[in-house]
Amino acid sequence: MIWDALLLQLGYNATLVSVGAALLGAAAGITGTFLFLRKRALVADAVSHATLPGVCLAFLVMASLGGDGRNLIGLLIGSALSAWVGLWCLNWLTLRTRLAEDAAIGAVLSTFFGFGVVLLTVIQTAGIGRQAGLEGFLLGSTAGMLFNDALMIAGGGAATLVIIALTRRALTLVSFDPEYASAQGINVSQVDMLMMGLVMAVTVIGLKIVGLILIVALLIIPAVTARFWSERSDIVVLLAGIFGATAAYVGAGVSASAPNLPTGPLIVLMSAGLFALSLFFAPSRGVMAAVIRQQRFQRRVHLRQGLLALAQGQPIYENLTLRLLGRAGLVRPDGVATEIGRARAAKALRDEKRWEILRRDHAHEAAAELYDGLREIETVLTPDEIREIDTKIGPPQEIPT
Amino acid sequence: MSGAEFVPLSLPPIVIGTCAAIACALPGNFLLLRRQALIGDAISHVVLPGIVVAFILSGAISTWPMMIGAAGAALIAVLLIEAIRRLGRIEPGAAMGVVFTTMFAGGVLLLEQTDTSSVHLDVEHALYGNLESLIWLDATGWGSLLDPLALAGLPTELPRMAAVLVLTSLFVAIFWRALKISTFDEGFAQAVGIKTTPLGLALVVVAAVSAVAAFDAVGSIIVIAMFICPPAAARMMTNRLERQIAWSVGFAALSAILGYVLAGYGPLWIGLYDAVSAAGMIATVSGVILALAALFGPCRTRAGAPAGV
């Protein structure tokens, strides 16, 4: 059943929902990356919660004018308008008052959402009826979605992607380095507006599928996930789009395969799964990579200290050091140095002496700064320079046994 | 309106709402000043999976398992946010966004997969609470306030919320000096020997306790609104922390009372027949108070900030 859904075998509407979700996921992931790099990820949370009063007001207006209150286009226009008002309030609070952005986000989010809930109860109790669809905007519902709605979501997602493709250079520059972008002649506040406009577009398009409470996850999680895999902004953007699209596509497919599997939460959980995988297994930024790096470093320190101890004839009590030396074939199991071990130890001690002289010599100040107890001296000095230092030390001495 | 109607139907929700609002606003003041305002938002979202798990494990809607589940979820969320922030080197806002949306999504999915048709547990309830249903059936009028038999029938949320309010106030009172110093100048606080890390964690825990208790009674919208709006409005009124806290308590109480009255009686005044959501109205009123404070408050602008920044 799940394979049927993923291979688009569940009928025309389910296919359209899956494709629409994937386009939405890609648009959200990419938009979210710019937002994340601009360090304004949670602004999206305020924008998405601020859509609720607009949806309700649009419903009330359309119903009181005698039309069908559930017309999706009308509802989405309403949600966009109130999201815009919420965004304006947020910017005003941040710029004109002493409130920090996080407080402004929380204030806008809770007030608008609270007002939306008041309007929801007005609709429920005013006896207008047929309001059942509105709760679906909280958590998203693809069940009973009309063909036209699905088409609109797919179209909206594609249009958002096109706009991003056309403006990606300005978006990247501003989200990375606003001052530099401004020096390049880019109008930063206009690009910020565009960014927020894209966030609004994604939110509004995603209302029906993911719902307003969870849409922020589609913007944040793929971006954070992609950041683990690359240090290059264009690759991060691309990866975020791919992660977002994958999570949305699989989530929508799984949700269509059985009852009681809400679409929005499933998409979010798929994203979270990708995030968890990346957190642990991504190269260089992942947790595993960090652990491996740490272990390697530890081994190098132990080996180095062990060799120095051998060279100076000191006993080694640390088990890990002995094990590492033994495994490298530098000591025998009884703790006595082998032939190679003695040679390496002598070299280590000599290097230490070389470093000592080098660090006392002001002529080598820059090189001396690189000393950390592990670095090979050959990486900072030329053979000639080493030879010159060696003349100050004298010839090799016998290792005490 | 007569006491016979007001005392059983409206007094308990108003008192509970007020206690919840103040209990959230008190720690909210410090969270706001420490730029951690959205912790309240995150906690109120992650309470849902905690409650659902508690329901699945205990099989019933009872208070203590749910409180423990919610508190556990809040703690897990705070630890996860911290872990992701450190392990992944991600900015705190994004880490928070990842954690609370994921946990909330998990909660919704669990809820849909569990058979909860026999009990009153759904996402809407978690969001809006059931303030209106906290009525005191044993009361007959103002006289019942002195009648021990009737007092025994008070909704259990009332004493619990009051206890949490006392706890929060005690925390703020006892650690007042340490909280104040560490909020404004963490480096100085450390220099005079205040352990800032445990204190910050304790503040988050106290906030979580208020959030969980308030959530059970009044839903998560009020929790988010009360953590942020009254302290933010109070911030516009004064530059002194003592006065800011006094203002925020006043604003919180005003939002709760005015919001409840407007929700319960407002629609009647304009000719509608049914009450609207009290939780939503309380949040709305607190937002309106913030808007007024932001427009007219004496200390609304950032001192010393250059124009246009």
Side-chain angles (χ1 to χ4, degrees):
Chain A
M1 193 64 177
I2 287 176
W3 292 116
D4 285 350
L6 292 184
L7 298 172
L8 304 175
Q9 301 293 312
L10 281 183
Y12 200 56
N13 259 14
T15 303
L16 209 57
V17 169
S18 288
V19 173
L23 286 171
L24 170 74
I30 293 173
T31 311
T33 310
F34 296 119
L35 209 60
F36 169 60
L37 293 176
R38 194 97 171 79
K39 296 200 169 31
R40 300 186 73 189
L42 285 176
V43 171
D45 205 23
V47 171
S48 60
H49 281 75
T51 53
L52 187 60
V55 171
C56 297
L57 282 177
F59 179 87
L60 283 172
V61 168
M62 286 190 291
S64 64
L65 290 178
D68 179 7
R70 286 180 303 171
N71 184 319
L72 188 60
I73 295 181
L75 294 178
L76 293 191
I77 291 174
S79 73
L81 286 177
S82 79
W84 190 82
V85 174
L87 193 59
W88 186 86
C89 289
L90 173 62
N91 280 334
W92 188 85
L93 279 175
T94 322
L95 292 180
R96 296 273 168 251
T97 74
R98 65 194 333 188
L99 286 190
E101 189 164 49
D102 65 332
I105 290 172
V108 168
L109 178 158
S110 55
T111 308
F112 274 70
F113 193 66
F115 185 55
V117 170
V118 169
L119 290 174
L120 264 186
T121 48
V122 168
I123 293 172
Q124 275 165 358
T125 55
I128 311 174
R130 295 207 298 170
Q131 81 286 5
L134 286 192
E135 269 84 9
F137 283 100
L138 288 180
L139 292 169
S141 71
T142 47
M145 192 189 271
L146 299 175
F147 174 71
N148 280 337
D149 298 351
L151 203 62
M152 215 187 72
I153 289 164
T160 315
L161 281 178
V162 169
I163 295 174
I164 293 171
L166 291 177
T167 54
R168 63 184 185 285
R169 192 175 159 274
L171 286 172
T172 316
L173 263 184
V174 168
S175 55
F176 247 96
D177 193 343
E179 279 88 27
Y180 175 69
S182 161
Q184 292 284 299
I186 290 171
N187 187 334
V188 172
S189 61
Q190 256 176 28
V191 176
D192 268 340
M193 280 283 284
L194 171 72
M195 210 181 280
M196 287 303 145
L198 288 171
V199 169
M200 241 167 66
V202 167
T203 310
V204 166
I205 298 164
L207 276 187
K208 188 77 187 166
I209 294 188
V210 187
L212 61 89
I213 298 180
L214 287 174
I215 187 82
V216 63
L218 260 70
L219 287 157
I220 295 181
I221 301 181
V224 177
T225 309
R227 184 68 187 81
F228 279 110
W229 294 89
S230 174
E231 307 282 339
R232 292 182 50 87
S233 66
D234 44 354
I235 295 178
V236 171
V237 167
L238 202 67
L239 279 175
I242 293 171
F243 288 145
T246 313
Y249 184 76
V250 177
V254 171
S255 133
S257 68
N260 286 336
L261 289 174
T263 319
L266 271 175
I267 295 178
V268 175
L269 289 175
M270 294 294 158
S271 280
L274 287 175
F275 167 79
L277 284 179
S278 308
L279 174 66
F280 285 105
F281 301 115
S284 92
R285 282 180 72 99
V287 172
M288 285 270 281
V291 169
I292 292 172
R293 251 199 320 274
Q294 161 76 22
Q295 272 184 353
R296 250 183 226 152
F297 178 71
Q298 191 187 21
R299 271 192 219 124
R300 283 180 63 202
V301 171
H302 275 275
L303 267 180
R304 178 87 187 169
Q305 294 302 322
L307 285 173
L308 287 176
L310 278 184
Q312 290 161 327
Q314 295 159 348
I316 300 170
Y317 298 112
E318 174 65 44
N319 275 329
L320 179 61
T321 313
L322 280 176
R323 254 203 331 275
L324 288 170
L325 286 171
R327 213 181 299 158
L330 302 177
V331 294
R332 296 204 308 259
D334 58 2
V336 177
T338 62
E339 197 65 30
I340 318 167
R342 283 216 295 279
R344 285 277 299 277
K347 159 95 166 66
L349 189 63
R350 189 171 192 82
D351 277 354
E352 204 57 28
K353 189 76 191 162
R354 287 165 172 165
W355 272 112
E356 207 182 303
I357 291 171
L358 179 145
R359 287 167 69 205
R360 241 184 277 142
D361 186 353
H362 290 296
H364 292 300
E365 205 163 0
E369 286 208 343
L370 294 172
Y371 175 77
D372 57 3
L374 287 177
R375 187 179 270 270
E376 306 283 334
I377 198 157
E378 287 86 356
T379 60
V380 291
L381 295 184
T382 61
D384 288 348
E385 286 171 316
I386 293 177
R387 227 169 289 135
E388 193 193 318
I389 287 179
D390 281 353
T391 57
K392 295 179 191 163
I393 303 176
Q397 292 156 7
E398 188 65 26
I399 301 170
T401 42
Chain B
M1 179 176 33
S2 68
E5 192 184 323
F6 179 77
V7 174
L9 294 182
S10 294
L11 188 62
I14 289 183
V15 175
I16 293 171
T18 311
C19 286
I22 298 174
C24 289
L26 277 178
N29 276 298
F30 295 99
L31 293 176
L32 182 87
L33 291 169
R34 289 162 169 251
R35 304 270 166 107
Q36 290 180 322
L38 288 171
I39 281 273
D41 183 21
I43 290 173
S44 59
H45 277 86
V46 303
V47 156
L48 179 74
I51 285 187
V52 176
V53 169
F55 170 72
I56 292 172
L57 291 181
S58 70
I61 298 274
S62 49
T63 307
W64 283 109
M66 298 223 154
M67 293 283 277
I68 293 169
L75 199 63
I76 291 175
V78 170
L79 294 178
L80 270 181
I81 292 172
E82 199 56 26
I84 288 182
R85 198 171 69 79
R86 296 239 173 110
L87 291 178
R89 276 163 290 158
I90 298 168
E91 54 140 338
M96 203 185 279
V98 171
V99 171
F100 82 74
T101 51
T102 305
M103 288 182 74
F104 189 78
V108 174
L109 187 65
L110 270 181
L111 195 56
E112 296 282 330
Q113 289 285 300
T114 319
D115 177 28
T116 50
S117 51
S118 58
V119 292
H120 189 58
L121 180 64
D122 52 38
V123 177
E124 277 82 11
H125 171 220
L127 291 172
Y128 322 149
N130 55 346
L131 195 53
E132 294 90 340
S133 67
L134 301 175
I135 49 178
W136 183 20
L137 288 175
D138 297 331
T140 50
W142 289 106
S144 303
L145 287 176
L146 301 173
D147 177 5
L149 212 63
L151 282 176
L154 272 174
T156 52
E157 282 84 356
L158 182 62
R160 198 166 64 228
M161 207 58 245
V164 170
L165 174 59
V166 170
L167 178 85
T168 336
S169 315
L170 275 180
F171 173 76
V172 172
I174 291 174
F175 293 102
W176 172 258
R177 191 173 151 272
L179 272 175
K180 186 175 175 181
I181 296 176
S182 72
T183 299
F184 285 105
D185 191 339
E186 189 152 359
F188 177 66
Q190 279 164 354
V192 298
I194 295 169
K195 299 200 168 37
T196 49
T197 316
L199 189 68
L201 199 64
L203 179 64
V204 173
V205 170
V206 167
V209 169
S210 333
V212 169
F215 166 87
D216 184 42
V218 297
S220 56
I221 308 172
I222 296 194
V223 174
I224 308 174
M226 287 306 136
F227 265 122
I228 297 173
C229 291
R235 183 100 176 82
M236 316 275 191
M237 304 302 291
T238 171
N239 278 327
R240 296 195 58 83
L241 185 61
E242 293 81 3
R243 286 186 206 147
Q244 180 188 323
I245 289 193
W247 275 108
S248 75
V249 168
F251 285 146
L254 181 67
S255 315
I257 297 169
L258 193 63
Y260 188 84
V261 170
L262 279 180
Y265 303 103
L268 305 180
W269 298 335
I270 58 168
L272 295 170
Y273 298 106
D274 293 295
V276 297
S277 161
M281 193 52 108
I282 292 175
T284 311
V285 170
S286 74
V288 171
I289 291 177
L290 172 61
L292 291 176
L295 284 172
F296 305 112
C299 300
R300 60 185 182 277
T301 49
R302 208 167 284 149
V309 170

